[in-house]
Amino acid sequence: MRVLIVGGVAAGMSAAARLRRLEEKAEIIVFEKDEFVSFANCGLPYHIGGTISKRQSLLVQTAESLRESLNIDVRIFTRVTAIHPEAHLVEVEDVKTGAKSVEKYDKLILAPGAKALRPPMPGLEHPAIHELRNIADMDGILAALQAGAKRAVVMGGFIGIEAAENLLERGLEVIIVEKMRQLMAPLDPEIANFVQSELERHGVQVLTGAAVNGFRDESGKVVVMLENGVHIEADLVIFALGSTPFSDLAAAAGLKLGARGGIVVDAQMRTSDPDIFAAGDVVETPDFVTGDPTYVPLAGPANRQGRIAADVICGRDSAYRGTQGTSVLKVFDLTVATTGLNEKALKRAGTEYRKLYLHPFGHVNYYPGTAQMHFKLLFCPNSKRVFGAQIAGYDGVDKRIDVVATAMRGNLTVEDLEHLELAYAPPYGAAKDPVNMAGFIAMNMLRGDVKFWYAEEFDSLPTNAVILDVSTQNEFTTWRLPGAINIPIGELRNKIDTLDKSKLYHLYCKVGIRSYLAHRILAQNGLQSRTLAGGSDILKALRPDLSHKATATPPGRRPTVAVAGALAPSDTGAPPPALARMDLADAAPAAAASGRLVEVDCCGLQCPGPLRRLADEIEPLAIGDELEILASDPGFATDARAWCAAKGHLFISEARGPNPGSVRCRIRKQAATSPAPAGSRSPAETAKGKKTMVIFSGDLDKVMAALVIANGALAMGDSVTLFFTFWGLSALRRTQAAEAAGKSLLDRMFGWMLPRGLDRLKLSQMNMGGAGTAMMKHVMQSKNVDSPAQLLASAKNAGIRLVACSMSMDVMGLKPEELIEGVEIGGVATFLAESDQSNATLFI
Ligand code: FAD
């Protein structure tokens, strides 16, 4: 039997080696167009960063070693240029000499992999733009580093993120640009947010919603041009928009391709021609959960498929059982992993599902070296089947995702997860493993022991809803949801009689454990409640507009300090005033360091442990003393910053701790700040001034007036929030955005009727079929009046906050991706919280 194989890496070599092991007499020829076969493409980014120090380590096998050990005829620099299925022939070209020949086959295996997606864009041929798919690409990037590259722009998929980390390790300034509003499409946005935070924590700048338009040369450097008008000059670009099947040969030979351009194969990896097999990144396979065709270019499936093709050719009864998309990625200290379907896919498919979140430690928190992970599980409420999971964390993530992936393969249910018996000793896990815990929560949901509310519901809570924060007063001072009242869990039982039975309590805490306990207390006292799934950690990840991230100034930026309004008495039901921020420069000068430093290790403490410890430890210190506090949760730095801001202490620095994900924060004690009386405005706030405007109208003149006032207020040092609702949303639409997918006919009709962006707005009067509007624009230009677009751009530069009303967006079927860059989505609570702090609110 003569078997020809096109492509000599994962799928191709896996097939070749298996064939030889099963069929000693077969003639096996592998054609590889490049220099290297069987190289470790997954290791390429790590040689760039230096973790894999020897280039040679990536070259797992050579043509010679394969000939020697497996008697395989490996022909490098040999490209297969055509297939003739009827004649059982392939045409072959020697890449170096151009010499052509034909080879006959009994069976042919196509394993040519994938190629990088390269949509047509100006300037793509610039020499500073590199792909990262093979050894030659890697060498090119290393040469650019040697030539002194200082700044890299990288695109934000799997390969881009690996490249970003490794380029940063090599000392480059790295900027990731990503067209979507999140990194890493296989993840849901709240889990992707942890990836973004980790990248930013290590100094990578991440621009989401930033579509690349093209490139141009600037004195030998490459300028990356973004659709939003931003241009970034760089020495190096890693062009990694994703990959597409290398199926041109197959298409030309008349083999059947699927909707994603991959070769269609049956379970035996046979193409539409019975003597031609295909495997790896070039094929489409059934999704393990849905059974629908999918395209998942990963090394595991490629290797297994190559092996199955060889089995079948040798007469074995072997079949591929679908692709689950199980994958894992290192992002500095963070590990992020996924298996099965994500929520976006379930929504698209209209499948009924339930979701839960948990934040367990990788191993018991009293044993050093662990941190919390963020675990999302999706499952079917009827069959209890697991649909998928996503986990981001610092310890034991790969193990848990593999357990869930295995459970899915075995068709286990969430009930089965409760009963899995998994290995435990303190350094490795917990007696109740995170996977068991996920099963417990799922079954609590199905048994009715817990009712969740979700972050997405925040803007549309029922009218009888009371948002009840059950964390400590200390945490409540640091961050709270707009409109929330505070009863710490420890006080809840004593205050239960003061609660109103006609209300529906929406409980929350940081990670969801205390609010679950509160939920059980309320339920057993005849009160209706729901607990926030995943706690405020997940809510903040999904709703950055509510996260008060601005109080958490990243290292190196100008520090800000919050001036706390007083806490509303926790049981009156009156919403407390939100935190206001002011620059340190405006605050009283910081007390000088006394020279005394107290070190505190609170690694492994569950929330609110670290924050409580911070408060306890700073209490006895003298003004000017410093506290260095080590925590295992990287999110602690954000909390500590906000806490210091609220309490008036000086947050000095944040640094990486000794364990993955751990963080060391340094804080200097300042004179105590006395909280202002409830509802009163702090002097700093009034001095600064704040304006909030509701832009209801979509008329050019009215929007112009709003932008003129906003720019004026900004120029006078005020902060300004513009809240766009109903017709006003037209001003925020992208001019050229493609219509978002999955819209109903009614939503699409709204889309056609609403003007797309500022340039398309019309005058409220004297429009005269567009002539009046054109005349007005002309007059404005001749009198040097800024256009609406210029006014908006300068307001954005001056730090205006643009909020699109989520309710009107929903009513009009507008999707976030249809809005311009830099717009937050917010509901009435966001508007009210802003208006509360403003000394003027205008309705336009
Ligand atoms: P490939 O490995 O791409 O091999 C195809 C080969 O066919 C190529 O060498 C190509 O030159 C050759 N070829 C193509 N056309 C012809 C022709 N006409 N004639 C002759 N030869 C031809 N996956 C993971 O699961 N985990 C990871 O961590 C991971 N990291 C990655 C990092 C990088 C930088 C890259 C590029 C990929 C990574 N992948 C990862 C994906 C994984 O490498 C692929 O899924 C896997 O290699 C696919 O195997 P394949 O054999 O189908 O294709």
Side-chain angles (χ1 to χ4, degrees), residues 22 55 63 72 182 307 320 392 400 466 686 694 700 708:
L22 296 182
R55 182 174 179 275
I72 294 171
Q182 65 161 87
R307 181 181 162 97
Y320 189 66
R400 274 48 183 242
V466 175
T686 4
V694 181
L700 175 67
V708 169

Side-chain angles (χ1 to χ4, degrees), residues 146-339:
Q146 289 217 308
K150 296 267 181 303
R151 180 194 268 180
V153 171
V154 174
M155 286 155 190
F158 264 89
I159 294 175
I161 289 175
E162 286 182 344
E165 171 177 346
N166 283 287
L167 289 171
L168 194 99
E169 300 288 0
R170 290 289 303 262
L172 272 78
E173 179 192 349
V174 180
I175 302 163
I176 293 183
V177 292
E178 168 55 62
K179 182 179 178 172
M180 296 187 304
R181 293 195 170 241
Q182 65 161 87
L183 295 173
M184 294 183 63
L187 301 174
D188 287 321
E190 66 277 32
I191 304 297
N193 192 280
F194 294 109
V195 173
Q196 182 166 343
S197 298
E198 183 71 5
L199 286 161
E200 289 171 344
R201 197 165 82 86
H202 286 81
V204 175
Q205 201 184 331
V206 180
L207 304 177
T208 52
V212 176
N213 248 352
F215 305 89
R216 66 181 162 76
D217 181 76
E218 186 84 46
S219 318
K221 293 195 181 238
V222 58
V223 177
V224 183
M225 300 185 290
L226 302 183
E227 200 179 82
N228 59 14
V230 172
H231 289 189
I232 311 167
E233 194 179 86
D235 306 297
L236 176 66
V237 168
I238 306 293
F239 195 84
L241 288 185
S243 50
T244 183
F246 216 149
S247 52
D248 322 31
L249 262 183
L255 299 182
K256 190 169 171 205
L257 302 189
R260 292 164 190 77
I263 302 176
V264 172
V265 287
D266 62 14
Q268 280 69 43
M269 306 313 298
R270 202 180 275 111
T271 67
S272 50
D273 182 295
D275 289 326
I276 304 179
F277 293 73
D281 284 3
V282 76
V283 298
E284 290 183 14
T285 49
D287 180 277
F288 175 73
V289 178
T290 63
D292 295 335
T294 186
Y295 178 63
V296 182
L298 284 172
N303 277 279
R304 297 201 310 278
Q305 291 159 8
R307 181 181 162 97
I308 288 168
D311 276 357
V312 173
I313 288 171
C314 295
R316 299 267 172 130
D317 180 19
S318 199
Y320 189 66
R321 299 181 187 182
T323 301
Q324 210 169 322
T326 308
S327 60
V328 62
L329 182 72
K330 172 182 176 306
V331 188
F332 294 100
D333 294 341
L334 185 86
T335 303
V336 62
T338 177
T339 187

Side-chain angles (χ1 to χ4, degrees), residues 775-799:
M775 221 159 71
M776 173 66 93
K777 286 185 177 169
H778 173 74
V779 172
M780 278 167 35
Q781 199 181 16
S782 59
K783 297 195 173 174
N784 281 334
V785 177
D786 279 350
S787 70
Q790 286 165 324
L791 284 169
L792 185 63
S794 54
K796 279 170 89 175
N797 283 343

Side-chain angles (χ1 to χ4, degrees), residues 664-694:
R664 205 187 286 280
C665 299
R666 194 159 175 154
I667 291 155
R668 187 182 308 156
K669 179 158 175 162
Q670 302 291 295
T673 48
S674 46
S680 74
R681 194 173 292 282
S682 78
E685 270 179 277
T686 4
K688 254 330 220 162
K690 179 160 185 164
K691 308 282 179 282
T692 299
M693 286 182 235
V694 181

